[in-house]
């Protein structure tokens, strides 16, 4: 934030009280968004009309996201971020990140990456929070097939949040796509150490083993992914991989 000036060094009368009131109203609105998102959308819009600032728009974003209106949620979070940024409020970084995640959930990777970049440029993120946004921007880059940008963000995130299994899963997946199977295997082992019961990690371990030609290890990992993933997307993908492997082995065993 900029150094205080003669104009902003002294809070306006009542501004501290208004800040507390707004924070309390946000907490109520956020709780409502969890319990009844439709009512929270109405409440948040009314708050915006009343002159509510970025907290009102943030609540609106939460409520919209709860109803899976991710495009509208991204817009609400982005408007909140712009408002917070204009006020030199430290929360602008988090708001940009929320806008990015909503955009990513909406399938708009390009907008998501722009929002994550704004979050990183805000200067209000550090440590684990900084690493999380770097991982998120890498996810957007992967969706855009920008592998070099994804690699740069993942390597930076490793310095800030090295205990995040998603970081190592994404890094392993990227290395496999780039045919760097040595790095892929090393990174997926780190991911598995951090989250051994994660179906997405065991699924990717199978993919890496298959790419390396180790079909026995691939089968074992995919079977684990089925057991851990159940009816999830990861479990379904692992079942499909096992079926493909069985068909391949049956064809290879057929003398005709």
């Amino acid at each position: 934030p900029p150094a205080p000036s003669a104009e902003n060094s002294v809070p306006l009368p009542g501004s501290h009280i208004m800040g507390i009131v707004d924070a309390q109203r946000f907490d109520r609105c956020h709780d409502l968004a969890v319990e009844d998102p439709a009512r929270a959308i109405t409440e948040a819009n009314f708050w915006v009309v009343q002159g509510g600032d970025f907290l009102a728009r943030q609540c609106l974003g939460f409520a919209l996201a709860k109803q899976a209106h991710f495009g509208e949620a991204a817009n609400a979070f982005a408007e909140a971020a712009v408002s917070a940024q204009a006020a030199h409020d430290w929360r602008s970084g988090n708001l940009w990140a929320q806008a990015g995640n909503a955009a990513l959930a909406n399938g708009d990777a390009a907008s998501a990456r722009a929002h994550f970049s704004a979050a990183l440029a805000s200067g209000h993120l550090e440590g684990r929070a900084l690493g999380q946004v770097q991982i998120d921007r890498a996810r957007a880059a992967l969706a855009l097939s920008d592998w070099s940008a994804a690699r740069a963000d993942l390597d930076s995130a490793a310095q800030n949040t090295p205990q995040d299994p998603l970081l190592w899963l994404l890094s392993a997946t990227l290395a496999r796509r780039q045919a760097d199977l040595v790095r892929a295997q090393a990174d997926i082992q780190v991911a598995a150490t951090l989250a051994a019961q994660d179906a997405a990690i065991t699924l990717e371990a199978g993919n890496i083993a298959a790419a390396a030609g180790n079909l026995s290890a691939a089968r074992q990992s995919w079977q684990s992914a089925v057991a851990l993933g159940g009816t999830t997307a990861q479990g379904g993908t692992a079942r499909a991989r096992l079926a493909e492997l069985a068909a391949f082995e049956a064809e290879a065993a057929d003398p005709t």
Side-chain angles (χ1 to χ4, degrees), residues 177-241:
R177 292 179 181 177
Q178 294 179 312
D180 185 352
L181 297 182
V182 173
R183 177 164 190 174
Q185 182 60 41
D187 287 352
I188 203 64
Q189 286 178 344
V190 176
T193 298
L194 294 170
Q197 302 301 306
D198 190 316
I201 291 173
T202 53
L203 171 62
E204 181 56 31
N207 296 342
I208 294 168
N214 190 341
L215 300 186
S216 177
R219 178 186 295 104
Q220 184 176 358
S221 292
W222 288 334
Q223 287 172 340
S224 294
V226 168
L228 293 170
T231 60
T232 65
Q234 290 82 6
T237 300
R239 287 187 186 85
R241 295 282 188 273

Side-chain angles (χ1 to χ4, degrees), residues 71-244:
E72 295 175 69
N75 291 335
F77 284 131
E79 289 172 359
V82 169
S83 179
Q85 193 166 288
H88 305 292
D89 192 284
W90 62 271
R91 286 167 285 196
S92 63
N94 292 332
L95 290 166
W96 280 122
Q98 289 167 349
N101 278 299
L104 206 53
N106 195 48
D108 188 352
S111 292
R113 178 155 68 169
H115 295 328
F116 291 135
S117 294
L120 294 172
S122 72
H124 294 304
L125 300 173
E126 58 183 22
R128 179 177 172 78
L130 175 60
Q132 288 291 332
V133 177
Q134 289 167 331
I135 292 171
D136 287 337
R137 190 168 70 170
R139 291 169 56 218
L142 286 169
L144 295 167
S145 298
D146 189 345
W147 292 354
S148 61
R151 172 53 64 200
D153 274 335
L154 290 172
D155 288 348
S156 295
Q159 304 301 313
N160 295 305
T161 179
Q163 299 302 309
D164 191 320
L166 178 58
L167 160 67
W168 299 105
L169 171 60
L170 293 176
S171 184
T173 301
L174 176 57
R176 174 176 58 80
R177 292 179 181 177
Q178 294 179 312
D180 185 352
L181 297 182
V182 173
R183 177 164 190 174
Q185 182 60 41
D187 287 352
I188 203 64
Q189 286 178 344
V190 176
T193 298
L194 294 170
Q197 302 301 306
D198 190 316
I201 291 173
T202 53
L203 171 62
E204 181 56 31
N207 296 342
I208 294 168
N214 190 341
L215 300 186
S216 177
R219 178 186 295 104
Q220 184 176 358
S221 292
W222 288 334
Q223 287 172 340
S224 294
V226 168
L228 293 170
T231 60
T232 65
Q234 290 82 6
T237 300
R239 287 187 186 85
R241 295 282 188 273
L242 288 169
E244 292 169 4

